[in-house]
Amino acid sequence: MEGIIALLIPFGAFAVAGFAIWTRHQRKLIEMRGQLPATSDADSERMREEMKYLKDRVAVLEQITTDSHSTKQLENEINQLKDI
């Protein structure tokens, strides 16, 4: 029993120190969140439009890479450019 108590004392000190560090970190996170600028509706709309544009581009690239006809055509064009 005495051995367990002897082990719990240092563990308790580490637990309290860890809790203090975690609490300080959480407080800083809350402060930082309060300082972040809020995004406006215009920014949100611009980001939505940009996201849609990027999704469309990715869809086109996926179609090019998966379509065997497009792949052959692209390969031929690359080979023709190498010959120049």
Side-chain angles (χ1 to χ4, degrees):
M1 185 69 165
E2 292 175 12
I4 294 175
I5 293 175
L7 289 175
L8 288 178
I9 291 173
F11 178 74
F14 284 113
V16 169
F19 182 73
I21 292 169
W22 179 79
T23 305
R24 190 176 326 124
H25 176 71
Q26 292 300 316
R27 189 177 314 124
K28 285 182 182 180
L29 285 176
I30 291 169
E31 290 173 3
M32 287 173 55
R33 286 182 186 136
Q35 293 173 357
L36 291 176
T39 57
S40 67
D41 289 337
D43 287 339
S44 297
E45 184 61 32
R46 183 186 55 77
M47 284 188 258
R48 274 191 217 96
E49 289 174 6
E50 188 173 343
M51 183 67 73
K52 183 182 180 323
Y53 172 76
L54 292 173
K55 285 181 178 181
D56 291 343
R57 293 281 309 251
V58 168
V60 169
L61 291 173
E62 287 175 343
Q63 184 178 7
I64 290 171
T65 57
T66 57
D67 184 17
S68 62
H69 175 69
S70 295
T71 305
K72 290 291 183 187
Q73 183 180 359
L74 185 60
E75 185 179 333
N76 290 336
E77 291 176 10
I78 291 172
N79 288 332
Q80 287 175 358
L81 289 174
K82 286 181 182 178
D83 294 338
I84 295 178

